[in-house]
Amino acid sequence: MVSLARRPLSAAVPAGNLLGIHLFRCPDAVGIVAKLSECIASRGGNIHSVDVFVPDDKPVFYSRSEFTYNPRLWSRHELHKDFLNLSRCFNAQTSTVRVPDLDPKYNISILASKQDHCLFDLLYRWQEGRLPVHINCVISNHDRPQDNHVRRFLQRHGIPYHYLPTAPANKREKEILELIQGTDFVVLARYMQILSENLLKAYGKDIINIHHGLLPSFKGGNPSRQAFSAGVKLIGATSHFVTPELDAGPIIEQMVERVSHRDTLQSFVVKSENLEKQCLAEAIKSYCELRVLPYELRKTVVF
């Protein structure tokens, strides 16, 4: 087993070359890394890093590779063809290759409710170029006025805002499904509605959610106040894939922070919201950098 620590993307790619990323999952076999290296080297590429995981109890091979890619020596069409042949050779369940500087950014939609902290943090990171995505639209069941800071930001950048008020008998899922068609994945930035199994099946792609780490001990209204009143010492946030079972999808990222008797309710809430923002952004970044693979029913491999 080869296991390297996670590192920044695009570490020192030589001039004239671009960064390529390959994510792979297949039945374990002898010679996979050798074939992968041969595939890249035969086209004039060079592996920058490789992270491999093979579970002790299952013959399944997982890998993520970063390599130099020169489009003058290796056309994008040939790149796709070569990795497709590699995938067929090893009967791969997953084989994804991207060249971030050439390939289109991921097209996403964001769903949010009343709370702005996760939504605006994502918008700010996107504006700063720190999230490799194109935001198709923002959908909310909360009506923000035109002079709201979120609405002003969206108008300034030409991102549509769709207000879809929900009711117990009408979750507006038909309209939501129409708006998110054509996206690569969807983000729930504190969207306080449960998506039905029918919508999940109809969409058929990944949906990433965030929730605070005060569950399951503090359910119902105002969990932060409940946790603060109970004197908890550790708070957290979890970002995960959405499945029909509420808040039980495979985990992508988790973060924690200590709190103490010195915290006020206000500082407690600020720390909790900051964790949610950071955790969700890191999960999206990991997903876009091809660091995330499904592992068993409820788990993920995150390189």
Side-chain angles (χ1 to χ4, degrees), residues 250-262:
I251 294 169
I252 305 170
E253 184 63 75
Q254 288 183 301
M255 295 183 179
V256 296
E257 183 173 343
R258 295 198 67 83
V259 291
S260 76
H261 58 278
R262 297 184 184 278

Side-chain angles (χ1 to χ4, degrees), residues 131-299:
L131 288 179
V133 299
H134 166 74
I135 301 175
N136 175 60
C137 67
V138 172
I139 305 167
S140 181
N141 63 332
H142 177 69
D143 189 17
R144 292 172 173 82
Q146 288 289 336
D147 62 349
N148 172 268
H149 65 292
V150 171
R151 294 292 299 272
R152 292 199 307 269
F153 182 100
L154 297 176
Q155 290 167 7
R156 189 163 63 249
H157 292 281
I159 300 173
Y161 180 83
H162 301 280
Y163 167 50
L164 298 178
T166 57
N170 184 5
K171 299 290 187 176
R172 309 297 293 272
E173 291 194 342
K174 181 179 179 181
E175 294 99 319
I176 291 173
L177 194 57
E178 290 174 354
L179 291 170
I180 64 178
Q181 287 301 316
T183 56
D184 295 301
F185 65 96
V186 168
V187 175
L188 306 186
R190 297 296 288 162
Y191 186 62
M192 308 306 289
Q193 299 290 318
I194 299 173
L195 302 181
S196 72
E197 186 172 0
N198 288 337
L199 183 144
L200 299 181
K201 287 182 178 179
Y203 180 58
K205 299 175 186 176
D206 290 323
I207 301 177
I208 297 175
N209 190 25
I210 182 71
H211 65 73
H212 58 71
L214 306 175
L215 296 170
S217 298
F218 306 99
K219 299 179 180 180
N222 210 330
S224 292
R225 183 179 290 276
Q226 294 181 53
F228 175 76
S229 298
V232 301
K233 303 303 183 210
L234 197 66
I235 59 174
T238 296
S239 187
H240 61 91
F241 291 114
V242 175
T243 61
E245 188 177 355
L246 180 63
D247 290 338
I251 294 169
I252 305 170
E253 184 63 75
Q254 288 183 301
M255 295 183 179
V256 296
E257 183 173 343
R258 295 198 67 83
V259 291
S260 76
H261 58 278
R262 297 184 184 278
D263 279 289
T264 63
L265 178 58
Q266 181 180 9
S267 68
F268 185 99
V269 170
V270 167
K271 287 181 178 180
S272 180
E273 291 183 350
N274 283 340
L275 283 175
E276 292 171 12
K277 293 188 292 187
Q278 295 170 39
C279 189
L280 179 58
E282 186 64 27
I284 295 171
K285 186 170 179 287
S286 293
Y287 186 89
C288 292
E289 292 178 357
L290 301 186
R291 297 186 184 277
V292 185
L293 274 168
Y295 170 49
E296 298 182 341
L297 185 62
R298 293 177 176 266
K299 294 183 179 181

Side-chain angles (χ1 to χ4, degrees), residues 37-58:
S37 302
E38 180 185 357
C39 173
I40 294 171
S42 68
R43 297 291 191 170
N46 185 42
I47 291 180
H48 257 288
S49 67
V50 60
D51 202 335
V52 172
F53 171 64
V54 178
D56 293 333
D57 58 344
K58 290 186 178 180

